[in-house]
Amino acid sequence: MSNSMIRKHGRTTEITQHAELQVLKRIRKFLLPKDFTVSSALLEEMAEGYDIGDPVVDRLLANNQKFAKPLQAYILQKTSNTASSQSGVRSNNPLNTESNSNLDLEINLSLKKDLTDNPDFQQLVTQLSTHPDWFDADLAEIGAVAYRRYPLMLIWLLRNVALMAGYSIPALSLPLIQTGALVHEALPRLMRTYSYILAVSEHPGLNDAPTVLAIGSEGWRQSINVRQIHAIVRQKLIEEGWDSDYWGTPINQTDMVATHLQFSLLIMRGLRILGARISAEEAKGILHLWHLASWWMGIDLKRLPQNETDCWAWLYTYLATQHLDFEVGKPLADALHRLPSQIMGEDNRKGRFVELVNASVTRTLVGDDISDGLGLPKSRLRHGVLVSVPILFGLDTLRRHNTKAAIKLEDFRAKRQNNMNWWLRKNDSYYSE
């Protein structure tokens, strides 16, 4: 395998440079076939993806045309004659509680003919007006139910695995560092990200929608909003002198696939390690659910790995070839790590304890080497988080075989989820009572 195939950008390294990284050794030992080898074709695809953003929306933003709200209003108005198919969508979704007259008013105020006639805008309309033929709503719902079953574990894994692991990779951290968002507004940004994974995994059992990720649902709306935010940040960073030769395009196709796997594959794996019984069908459903959400967010379909083994092969290849610089991600990791004390008070023992628990989750699931690099504390009882394994496994077994227990566990989950949404209830109209 030639070096030129790997080193097309300064951000990449030799394929063997991080071979001793704990997370790579675990993936190779437990999650990949014994005969696994890094694919030259995948390396080429990743290298190409570093230079591609989201061409459709990038062209719209280049013409100073924000598209998120106009697009949502246009699609909902366009499909209002078939509103019966959307009638089950949760009523406190702002886009769906509006009357047709209000939708018409918003269109008149926000849509201009040069936007609606724009072929890129119409391409977005086509993509986001209906579910694609390949989308299996029943399978995605199975995944969504499993994904939302463990609210405490979900936010643990989001902050301490998905986000913390990403902070070790400068190419993922630098756009956040340069916008200042996750350093100076760590809590709002964490909760907005949490809100997004909740929205994507909201299913008919929770909101009476006709399907998971229904057109007009909160997950649909937030996917469009996130896509616009990414395009705005991408444009701003390039205008301010982003080194594309070294890093590739900011928030590029390859890095967006990595983010897709942070929210789907890594969280799913974390649930299993902590004791959750995620079946093969549920795992397939989780990946399928995020497949649609990620496509809506602007990832090219052909770049998304199709099954769990392919996902691990993709992630291994990506992690093995990234330039690591823990100093870049340390401010983000520190801001996220210190949130409990900031919320509860610097002298609050419970806050410090929660910080140690969070750091222990990162050390147990991601590895001591990355945790040391990010400056996370090390507790002598850091493996205590694994006490959840027999508890979750036992509860899941009980849920599967006892209907009354399953109902009680679902009531507990709903109450726990409501308690964890305290910030969103105060700051987000969708979650307010």
Side-chain angles (χ1 to χ4, degrees), residues 252-433:
N252 58 65
Q253 286 288 316
T254 300
D255 289 338
M256 285 194 288
V257 175
T259 301
H260 156 77
L261 295 179
Q262 285 176 285
F263 291 164
S264 57
L265 185 73
L266 289 186
I267 286 180
M268 180 177 70
R269 175 63 180 171
L271 287 170
R272 281 173 161 167
I273 291 175
L274 293 175
R277 297 185 65 175
I278 305 292
S279 69
E281 185 179 33
E282 288 171 334
K284 187 177 179 181
I286 289 171
L287 294 176
H288 191 68
L289 174 76
W290 279 100
H291 208 85
L292 178 60
S294 298
W295 181 60
W296 278 350
M297 280 197 293
I299 300 177
D300 189 339
L301 273 179
K302 72 177 186 293
R303 298 183 183 278
L304 289 169
Q306 296 299 306
N307 57 57
E308 193 170 347
T309 299
D310 288 346
C311 286
W312 285 118
W314 195 102
L315 189 63
Y316 181 93
T317 304
Y318 179 83
L319 293 176
T321 54
Q322 297 305 304
H323 168 66
L324 301 182
D325 186 342
F326 297 117
E327 294 303 315
V328 174
K330 265 187 179 180
L332 297 172
D334 185 66
L336 190 59
H337 169 70
R338 294 184 180 277
L339 272 183
S341 289
Q342 292 175 9
I343 295 169
M344 301 177 194
E346 294 294 336
D347 297 326
N348 187 292
R349 290 184 179 180
K350 184 178 178 181
R352 293 198 299 273
F353 173 75
V354 172
E355 289 177 359
L356 285 176
V357 171
N358 287 335
S360 297
V361 173
T362 305
R363 287 187 174 277
T364 302
L365 274 66
V366 178
D368 281 323
D369 43 14
I370 288 178
S371 300
D372 288 342
L374 294 174
L376 298 179
K378 181 183 292 185
S379 169
R380 288 175 296 177
L381 302 176
R382 66 184 184 276
H383 297 302
V385 296
L386 294 178
V387 73
S388 70
V389 174
I391 295 173
L392 267 189
F393 187 86
L395 290 175
D396 260 359
T397 302
L398 182 64
R399 172 185 56 78
R400 290 183 175 195
H401 299 288
N402 188 303
T403 303
K404 290 183 178 179
I407 293 172
K408 289 183 178 180
L409 286 170
E410 172 55 26
D411 288 342
F412 177 78
R413 184 213 64 79
K415 290 176 182 177
R416 184 68 178 172
Q417 185 74 75
N418 187 58
N419 291 338
M420 293 173 65
N421 288 357
W422 65 270
W423 188 93
L424 294 173
R425 290 200 307 275
K426 289 173 59 178
N427 297 279
D428 190 315
S429 60
Y430 182 75
Y431 293 92
S432 62
E433 298 295 332

Side-chain angles (χ1 to χ4, degrees), residues 77 80 97-109:
Q77 193 274 343
S80 61
T97 57
E98 293 177 336
S99 66
N100 286 341
S101 61
N102 285 337
L103 282 172
D104 290 338
L105 177 61
E106 182 167 357
I107 289 170
N108 290 333
L109 291 174

Side-chain angles (χ1 to χ4, degrees), residues 73-341:
Y74 183 87
I75 290 173
L76 291 177
Q77 193 274 343
K78 179 184 174 185
T79 58
S80 61
N81 291 334
T82 56
S84 59
S85 67
Q86 303 296 326
S87 60
V89 174
R90 182 171 165 170
S91 62
N92 63 348
N93 183 331
L95 288 175
N96 293 305
T97 57
E98 293 177 336
S99 66
N100 286 341
S101 61
N102 285 337
L103 282 172
D104 290 338
L105 177 61
E106 182 167 357
I107 289 170
N108 290 333
L109 291 174
S110 62
L111 291 182
K112 298 179 181 179
K113 197 172 190 305
D114 62 342
L115 180 59
T116 57
D117 287 347
N118 188 303
D120 291 318
F121 183 83
Q122 286 301 324
Q123 184 173 331
L124 292 177
V125 170
T126 299
Q127 179 184 7
L128 291 149
S129 291
T130 60
H131 289 145
D133 292 340
W134 52 260
F135 180 63
D136 184 339
D138 292 335
L139 178 61
E141 184 175 341
I142 289 170
V145 171
Y147 194 82
R148 287 287 289 271
R149 191 176 291 139
Y150 320 93
L152 176 59
M153 301 300 173
L154 187 59
I155 198 165
W156 261 14
L157 296 168
L158 171 66
R159 65 178 294 162
N160 303 316
V161 177
L163 295 181
M164 282 294 188
Y167 292 163
S168 65
I169 301 173
L172 298 181
S173 300
L174 273 177
L176 304 175
I177 290 285
Q178 293 192 13
T179 60
L182 288 186
V183 175
H184 304 297
E185 297 181 2
L187 178 60
R189 293 297 176 175
L190 170 64
M191 294 307 294
R192 292 297 183 198
T193 306
Y194 182 51
S195 168
Y196 181 57
I197 68 172
L198 290 182
V200 168
S201 58
E202 196 170 46
H203 53 82
L206 301 176
N207 65 0
D208 298 323
T211 68
V212 68
L213 284 176
I215 306 302
S217 68
E218 183 70 1
W220 175 86
R221 184 184 71 83
Q222 286 202 36
S223 295
I224 296 171
N225 290 345
V226 169
R227 190 168 183 176
Q228 177 171 276
I229 290 169
H230 283 174
I232 291 171
V233 171
R234 189 182 301 117
Q235 182 185 61
K236 183 175 185 291
L237 291 175
I238 291 173
E239 288 174 351
E240 293 178 352
W242 177 268
D243 187 354
S244 295
D245 288 338
Y246 188 87
W247 296 110
T249 298
I251 317 180
N252 58 65
Q253 286 288 316
T254 300
D255 289 338
M256 285 194 288
V257 175
T259 301
H260 156 77
L261 295 179
Q262 285 176 285
F263 291 164
S264 57
L265 185 73
L266 289 186
I267 286 180
M268 180 177 70
R269 175 63 180 171
L271 287 170
R272 281 173 161 167
I273 291 175
L274 293 175
R277 297 185 65 175
I278 305 292
S279 69
E281 185 179 33
E282 288 171 334
K284 187 177 179 181
I286 289 171
L287 294 176
H288 191 68
L289 174 76
W290 279 100
H291 208 85
L292 178 60
S294 298
W295 181 60
W296 278 350
M297 280 197 293
I299 300 177
D300 189 339
L301 273 179
K302 72 177 186 293
R303 298 183 183 278
L304 289 169
Q306 296 299 306
N307 57 57
E308 193 170 347
T309 299
D310 288 346
C311 286
W312 285 118
W314 195 102
L315 189 63
Y316 181 93
T317 304
Y318 179 83
L319 293 176
T321 54
Q322 297 305 304
H323 168 66
L324 301 182
D325 186 342
F326 297 117
E327 294 303 315
V328 174
K330 265 187 179 180
L332 297 172
D334 185 66
L336 190 59
H337 169 70
R338 294 184 180 277
L339 272 183
S341 289

